Amino acid sequence: RRAAGTAQARRGRMAEDEEEEGGGGRGAAAGPAAPARFVRSLYAVGFLDLFGVSMVVPLMNLHIKSLGASHTVAGIIGSLYGVMQLFSSTFVGCWSDIVGRRYSLLACILLSALGYFLLGNSTTVFLFALSRVPVGIFKHTLSISKALLSDLVSERDRPLVMGRFNAASSVGFILGPVVGGYLAEFEGGFYQTSFICASIFLLNGGLVWMLPWSEENTSNRDHYQDKGTNNCSAKSNHDLHLKSASSRAVTNSNFFQSPWIQVATVLKKIKGIACSNLWDVFLVRFLMSVAILLYYSNFTLALEERFEVKPLFAGYLMSYSSALGVLAGCLLGPITRLYGHNTYRLLLHSSTFTCTLILLYASAPSMWMVILSSTFLAFSTTIGRTCIIDLELTVGGSEASGTLLGVGQSVTSVGRIIAPLLSGIAQEFSPCGPPSLAVGLALLAIVIMNANKQKYRSHGSVKLKNQ
């Protein structure tokens, strides 16, 4: 009997080890077939989204100038998208928490398709500007998809799944400009490319519509039960189950409620974010975003001034970095396991590595040093971008994942607005001015992370006040 008991205990430990190696017992790869198929379908959604967008975006400046717009008008219209994204990211993300991921994701995809369809008919500057409005407001497909992935998988598997989603999206961003550039060689190529982009978005909408959403609800319920079993008492687990079930019931009915009720609920949830203690997490995201944007802001011009490198070579180097970023996204699983799924420590180390590499680039005496820093920077920035999203969801609570991701996207949009201004000022002093300023901002982000390390290490014990 003692031998039989020992063998049974050994088999139990082996089963637990296999479950842990499979991704915490429930993940993109080791979970049930239906959730795994759902997650892979979302990878395809991310790929098609950036593939379609990247076909059109590189051609837009040439097209608006061909319509007779001045450089100032072209710049204003180009900034219109960023400004609308700044204000709409939080609202759309919060709206997805209220009405559900399915309806919000479909609405964003179809309205973005409308924008690109209007872009394909933009024969005047006014129509061109008008076509940017629905895209600027509703082009949040990736943010809602990430929120949906957060609903599907456990906290343990989230960095791995997010990394693979970013990798799939990046592949689309690499291939899209090649296809768009080829189509632009034909007569009326921009219009054809815009219509193809709109068609890709319609295809994406069909893919989202056909996803097994009923199975997603079951997976989501099991996910919350697993979290409750691991982190809560029996009573807390019961309360968490009731809360998740009731929130899904409210979500299914909220889409058909009055728009005024939906707006009031959105404002209430945003107020909860504003009154929470997540300011340091968003500040770290803001500082690191601006630092990376400063690094890329004058990359081509700085290489030409410092090393007399042609813009074509700089373009190849940036494409090389993008390809390495895809590889980094695929390697996030082994890296997170190496760190024991400690997101805070991985983010701290990747941010420190990013700061060191930008400093190395700013002081590089030769082109080979620039290539070396660009190689490793592609890995550190990809890892850091995934980790900061995971830290937002861990500290803020995944129940409001859409709102949190929306606020984070708005923070990044502010960085996109401020970074060009800071880059222009810093470049007045030296070609190395922007990356040198980036080093200072990254160091400040590292100091903030060290000052708040106790909260980050609590892994979700600090939640939003109204959750």
Side-chain angles (χ1 to χ4, degrees):
R1 283 197 301 268
R2 187 183 302 113
T6 304
Q8 184 177 5
R10 186 181 296 114
R11 283 194 300 270
R13 287 194 298 270
M14 290 175 63
E16 291 174 357
D17 292 340
E18 290 174 358
E19 185 180 28
E20 182 175 357
E21 291 176 359
R26 227 199 120 270
R37 185 168 61 250
F38 203 106
V39 170
R40 286 194 295 268
S41 298
L42 286 177
Y43 294 161
V45 169
F47 168 80
L48 290 173
D49 182 274
L50 279 191
F51 176 71
V53 169
S54 60
M55 287 173 57
V56 176
V57 170
L59 309 175
M60 292 178 62
N61 283 336
L62 293 176
H63 178 67
I64 190 172
K65 290 178 181 177
S66 69
L67 296 176
S70 64
H71 292 286
T72 303
V73 173
I76 293 173
I77 295 177
S79 302
L80 183 64
Y81 175 83
V83 173
M84 287 187 293
Q85 286 274 297
L86 168 63
F87 291 102
S88 65
S89 296
T90 302
F91 286 94
V92 173
C94 186
W95 183 60
S96 74
D97 287 333
I98 296 171
V99 303
R101 310 295 183 213
R102 181 181 191 178
Y103 298 115
S104 57
L105 187 56
L106 278 172
C108 287
I109 290 175
L110 296 179
L111 289 169
S112 297
L114 173 63
Y116 287 110
F117 177 79
L118 292 175
L119 187 65
N121 290 280
S122 58
T123 54
T124 64
V125 176
F126 174 76
L127 289 175
F128 184 94
L130 183 64
S131 69
R132 302 302 291 159
V133 174
V135 179
I137 297 175
F138 293 101
K139 177 60 183 70
H140 300 290
T141 313
L142 298 182
S143 296
I144 298 177
S145 297
K146 290 176 182 178
L148 181 53
L149 287 173
S150 176
D151 298 338
L152 283 168
V153 301
S154 64
E155 290 184 4
R156 185 183 183 89
D157 298 320
R158 192 164 56 206
L160 168 64
V161 174
M162 291 291 184
R164 289 178 176 175
F165 180 81
N166 290 334
S169 303
S170 299
V171 171
F173 197 79
I174 293 172
L175 298 178
V178 179
V179 178
Y182 174 77
L183 294 174
E185 296 293 329
F186 299 98
E187 184 178 356
F190 178 81
Y191 300 107
Q192 297 176 11
T193 305
S194 299
F195 286 131
I196 293 175
C197 177
S199 301
I200 290 174
F201 270 79
L202 291 176
L203 175 64
N204 226 358
L207 176 60
V208 170
W209 179 261
M210 292 187 295
L211 288 176
W213 291 96
S214 59
E215 295 168 347
E216 182 268 341
N217 289 334
T218 303
S219 173
N220 198 16
R221 180 174 64 251
D222 295 340
H223 163 52
Y224 280 111
Q225 287 178 333
D226 290 343
K227 286 174 66 178
T229 301
N230 292 332
N231 300 326
C232 305
S233 63
K235 182 178 183 300
S236 299
N237 181 18
H238 178 68
D239 293 341
L240 185 62
H241 171 66
L242 291 178
K243 179 180 178 181
S244 61
S246 62
S247 66
R248 280 191 303 275
V250 172
T251 292
N252 291 332
S253 62
N254 270 353
F255 182 76
F256 303 100
Q257 285 183 355
S258 168
W260 299 112
I261 297 177
Q262 295 184 20
V263 170
T265 309
V266 166
L267 294 176
K268 182 179 178 181
K269 291 178 73 69
I270 293 175
K271 180 183 177 182
I273 293 284
C275 297
S276 68
N277 56 351
L278 285 167
W279 65 268
D280 51 316
V281 180
F282 291 122
L283 183 57
V284 168
R285 176 167 182 163
F286 171 76
L287 292 172
M288 292 305 300
S289 298
V290 174
I292 296 169
L293 288 168
L294 285 172
Y295 168 79
Y296 286 108
S297 62
N298 71 329
F299 188 77
T300 302
L301 181 60
L303 291 184
E304 187 175 3
E305 292 183 2
R306 293 173 62 188
F307 306 107
E308 298 181 353
V309 172
K310 298 297 182 182
L312 179 62
F313 181 81
Y316 284 141
L317 185 58
M318 294 180 72
S319 298
Y320 164 72
S321 299
S322 300
L324 290 179
V326 175
L327 178 62
C330 298
L331 293 177
L332 260 172
I335 294 173
T336 52
R337 286 195 293 271
L338 180 64
Y339 274 79
H341 300 274
N342 190 331
T343 303
Y344 159 74
R345 192 157 62 95
L346 181 55
L347 176 62
L348 180 63
H349 290 175
S350 65
S351 300
T352 305
F353 197 33
T354 297
C355 180
T356 304
L357 291 171
I358 296 177
L359 178 62
L360 181 63
Y361 160 74
S363 59
S366 65
M367 193 61 205
W368 288 109
M369 195 68 71
V370 173
I371 296 174
L372 179 65
S373 63
S374 298
T375 299
F376 290 101
L377 193 66
F379 285 89
S380 64
T381 54
T382 301
I383 294 171
R385 185 165 57 248
T386 304
C387 286
I388 191 64
I389 292 175
D390 185 69
L391 192 63
E392 288 174 8
L393 297 174
T394 301
V395 177
S398 58
E399 295 87 356
S401 55
T403 308
L404 292 167
L405 291 173
V407 174
Q409 190 65 33
S410 295
V411 169
T412 304
S413 297
V414 174
R416 291 194 184 102
I417 295 173
I418 294 178
L421 176 62
L422 295 178
S423 176
I425 296 173
Q427 200 167 342
E428 293 290 339
F429 299 94
S430 168
C432 298
S436 301
L437 179 59
V439 172
L441 295 177
L443 281 174
L444 181 58
I446 294 169
V447 170
I448 293 173
M449 279 189 281
N450 277 310
N452 295 274
K453 59 184 178 182
Q454 190 62 38
K455 182 173 77 172
Y456 298 152
R457 285 174 176 172
S458 63
H459 285 283
S461 62
V462 181
K463 302 293 184 183
L464 296 179
K465 293 181 179 179
N466 66 334
Q467 293 296 313

